[in-house]
């Protein structure tokens, strides 16, 4: 009888995307469980890698030989059975490697690095010994070029050999405490001390106090007090008076919020009460229903979420709530933590790896019952989930751009079925996909059509920028918007100004010859960053200084183009010199906590105008904001993207929703070069349903989602003709394999034809029902992966955000 473990190894290539069998040594048999990380030898060489146990089975007779599991890296599984099944589902759903999906689901700190070392080989030479010196092993990655060359030569001679070592990143934070020895008689100890042993007297005094009070203070606190230092404590430990005990602590990113008194549930409005009752009934009945909550901005959706969560908790179940990345920092966290305190674990990209790891462990250990987080929080190891909530469900940030290309909404819907729990998809402007599903009865549509306290939605004025200058406009500002800003300044009210940066970036162009500075690795112009005075490629990270003369013709007439937030800020200072302006964009929020600092300052009234990019459109709730201005509504409309109108409508509606949320009435100004465009007109009327109907008609005519499902396939290769050849043969394969109803668009060069020195070609498949599609794509993937050694990469993106 042998016990065999099936292991997915950390080598993402085709041959390793299925589990491998390993023998479980007797000594490990009792402790090993599926969902634990292990360390194994892989392939013919001595290579050692990390892996995940996905199954264990006893086998009477094993044909062939089995390598053993070398080590188990966990005491308890890091993936429970639901997590394991989810990872498998995710791999099939996204056409990604299973191991990549597993790693996506786990905190970064649980990734095990494999380090290559060189050690003395079977035929050691003097040179090899000299190279190692007094060290037993050298880390290959640390060596300089010349040494690496010698090492490679010595490896070939067997004078050196490769060894693999693992480096687990998981670090538990510990704090040292002073524990007075319970049985110690400090009075007796003092009697034996000399009178001038001041330090020891002081220590005994302190220990006597702590013993009496039953406290075990942190060493850092004792030392900070100044009377004693660590050496005194160590000396006390030697005498048996105390022990220094390392205790595990969590890195708690929102500890200060947990200390505050909890907020009480608000009495619900009649509309809120109806919605809450409907969803709560499904929570109680453990019914896997999906509710689309269409509620205008400021209609109190968040209060509904909080009360539904409270109901799940009262039933001893847990709750998961996803919010867009930006909304998390920080107002939404305050509201959920404010209601449920330390029961809430928060997960988003603004946390350090250590903080993320600790929040994850609190969830895994059942110490947190509510999870609030961005996209990847959908994988949090919460058990017994009673309700799932996705706020602003239309947000594009729920879709991950690189492998695994998953949509958090799909993950949530899948998990909700497993947990027999309802899902709330909330938005003022639902995605067309979700709203269409509600129309078909797949989801239940719930409405919150009014703002709280019947505050009206703010009137929206559309300003035609095509003749703004004729009417006294200056720079990027129409006369109307300027007047409205001045009125707010005079009244001491606040304004929010948004610069829509979608489909547009600032770049540097020569006015003499038109030369635009391009990335040397990618076919795209470099983006200007004023704060560091550099040009950067947002794709490969290339960075260079801003040129003072044109690199092409030598002219000095090189100019910065595009209305960056910095430029608008300058203009504001010139036009409204007394206004205090806060700017919020990627440059001012790059540092940790940057969002929070700016919003706190604005909330505290330290500025009159908050100027920012899209990131100010969501979730802000400031009572003193009575004016919202959109400087350029249109930049996104020009993009060759079938979702351009939808995104523009959503953005304008969201940002307009920031005005007049409390007792003071609000007003919105939208500056546009396409004032007649239906996306802008429907946003002006706060008419989501009208927009939905018109946009659906357009999608229907163009055979776009949600009438069709879509998949985008991308092929890349360092040589352009290779990439082109591959995509054309792939298009042929697909046309033969799929039904005549499927539409294959392209192939075309990628929107950015060259990226990181690789050429990209793509095609898009539109279909309604293709039972053979997944298998065909999987086959394509396997065939090309076999060719990946010759430089091909294939990317498959289910329901891409755009076709570009
Ligand atoms: P939404 O999420 O739909 O934009 P919010 O949940 O932010 O709306 O609610 C808007 C404002 O109304 C918030 O300041 C919130 O505290 C307040 N609010 C919500 N529900 C109630 C209620 N039942 N009674 C009083 N105020 C409420
Ligand atoms: Zn680049
Ligand atoms: Zn030039």
């Amino acid at each position: 009888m042998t016990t065999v473990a099936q292991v997915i190894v950390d080598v993402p290539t085709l041959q390793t995307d299925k589990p491998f069998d390993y023998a479980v040594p007797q000594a490990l048999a009792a402790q090993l469980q599926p969902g634990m990380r292990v360390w194994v030898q892989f392939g013919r060489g001595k290579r050692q890698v990390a892996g995940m146990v996905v199954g264990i089975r006893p086998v009477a007779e094993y044909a062939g030989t089995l390598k053993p599991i070398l080590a188990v890296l966990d005491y308890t599984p890091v993936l429970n059975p639901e997590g394991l099944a989810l990872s498998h589902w995710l791999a099939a759903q996204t056409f990604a490697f299973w191991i990549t999906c597993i790693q996506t689901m786990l905190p970064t700190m649980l990734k095990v690095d494999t380090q290559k070392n060189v050690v003395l080989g079977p035929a050691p030479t003097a040179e090899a010994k000299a190279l190692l010196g007094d060290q037993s092993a050298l880390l290959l990655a640390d060596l300089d070029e010349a040494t690496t060359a010698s090492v490679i030569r010595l490896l070939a001679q067997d004078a050196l050999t490769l060894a693999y070592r693992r480096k687990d990143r998981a670090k538990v934070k510990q704090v040292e405490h002073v524990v007075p020895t319970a049985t110690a008689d400090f009075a007796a100890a003092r009697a034996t001390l000399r009178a001038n042993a001041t330090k020891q007297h002081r220590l005994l005094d302190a220990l006597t106090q702590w013993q009496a009070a039953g406290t075990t203070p942190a060493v850092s606190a004792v030392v900070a007090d100044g009377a004693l230092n660590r050496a005194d404590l160590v000396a006390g430990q030697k005498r048996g008076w105390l022990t220094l005990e390392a205790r595990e602590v969590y890195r708690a990113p929102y500890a200060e919020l947990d200390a505050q008194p909890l907020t009480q549930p608000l009495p619900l409005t009649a509309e809120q009460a109806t919605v809450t009752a409907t969803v709560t009934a499904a929570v109680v009945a453990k019914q896997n229903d999906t509710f689309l909550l269409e509620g205008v901005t400021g209609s109190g959706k968040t209060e509904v979420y909080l009360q539904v969560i409270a109901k799940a908790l009262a039933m001893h179940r847990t709750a998961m709530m996803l919010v867009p990345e930006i909304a998390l920092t920080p107002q939404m966290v305050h509201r959920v933590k404010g209601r449920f305190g330390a029961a809430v674990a928060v997960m988003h990209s603004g946390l350090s790896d250590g903080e993320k790891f600790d929040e994850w462990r609190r969830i895994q250990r059942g110490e947190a019952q509510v999870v609030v987080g961005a996209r990847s929080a959908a994988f949090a190891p919460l058990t017994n989930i009673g309700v799932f909530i996705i706020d602003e469900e239309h947000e594009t940030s729920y879709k991950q751009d690189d492998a695994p290309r998953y949509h958090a909404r799909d993950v949530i819907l899948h998990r909700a079925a497993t947990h027999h729990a309802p899902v709330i998809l909330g938005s003022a402007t639902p995605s067309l996909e979700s709203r269409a599903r509600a129309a078909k009865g797949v989801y239940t549509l719930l409405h919150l059509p009014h703002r709280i306290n019947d505050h009206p939605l703010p009137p929206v004025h559309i300003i035609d920028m095509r003749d703004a200058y004729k009417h006294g406009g200056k720079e990027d500002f129409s006369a109307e918007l300027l007047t409205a800003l001045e009125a707010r300044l005079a009244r001491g009210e606040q304004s929010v100004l948004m610069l829509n940066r979608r489909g547009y970036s600032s770049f540097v162009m020569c006015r003499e010859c038109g030369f635009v500075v391009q990335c040397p690795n990618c076919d795209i112009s470099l983006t200007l960053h004023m704060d560091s005075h550099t040009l950067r490629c947002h794709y490969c990270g290339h960075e260079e200084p801003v040129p003072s003369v044109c690199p092409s013709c030598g002219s000095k007439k090189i100019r910065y183009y595009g209305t960056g937030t910095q430029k608008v800020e300058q203009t504001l200072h010139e036009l409204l010199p007394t206004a205090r302006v806060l700017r919020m964009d990627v440059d001012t929020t790059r540092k940790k906590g940057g969002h929070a600092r700016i919003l706190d300052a604005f909330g505290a009234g330290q500025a009159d105008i908050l100027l920012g990019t899209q990131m100010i459109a969501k979730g802000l709730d400031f009572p003193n904001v009575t004016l919202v201005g959109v400087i350029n509504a249109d930049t996104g409309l020009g993009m060759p993207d079938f979702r351009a109108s939808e995104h523009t409508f959503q953005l304008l509606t969201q940002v307009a929703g920031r005005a007049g949320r409390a007792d003071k009435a609000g007003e919105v100004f939208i500056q546009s070069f396409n004032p007649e465009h239906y996306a802008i007109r429907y946003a002006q009327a706060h008419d989501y349903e009208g927009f939905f109907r018109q946009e659906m008609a357009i999608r229907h005519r163009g055979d776009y989602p949600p009438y069709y499902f879509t998949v985008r396939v991308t092929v890349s290769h360092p040589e352009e003709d290779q990439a082109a050849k591959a995509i054309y043969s792939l298009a042929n394969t697909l046309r033969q394999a799929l039904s005549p109803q499927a539409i294959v668009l392209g192939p075309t060069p990628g929107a950015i034809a060259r990226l990181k020195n690789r050429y990209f070609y793509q095609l898009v498949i539109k279909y309604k029902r293709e039972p053979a599609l997944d298998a065909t794509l999987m086959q394509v993937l396997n065939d090309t992966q076999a060719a990946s050694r010759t430089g091909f990469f294939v990317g498959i993106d289910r329901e891409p955000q755009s076709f570009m």
Side-chain angles (χ1 to χ4, degrees), residues 560-571:
Y560 307 151
Y561 277 82
T563 338
T565 35
Q566 284 152 325
K567 182 164 163 265
V568 175
E569 189 184 15
Q570 274 173 18
T571 311

Side-chain angles (χ1 to χ4, degrees), residues 510-515 550-555:
C510 171
R511 295 233 284 203
E512 210 71 52
C513 75
F515 178 82
C550 171
S552 174
C553 74
S555 155

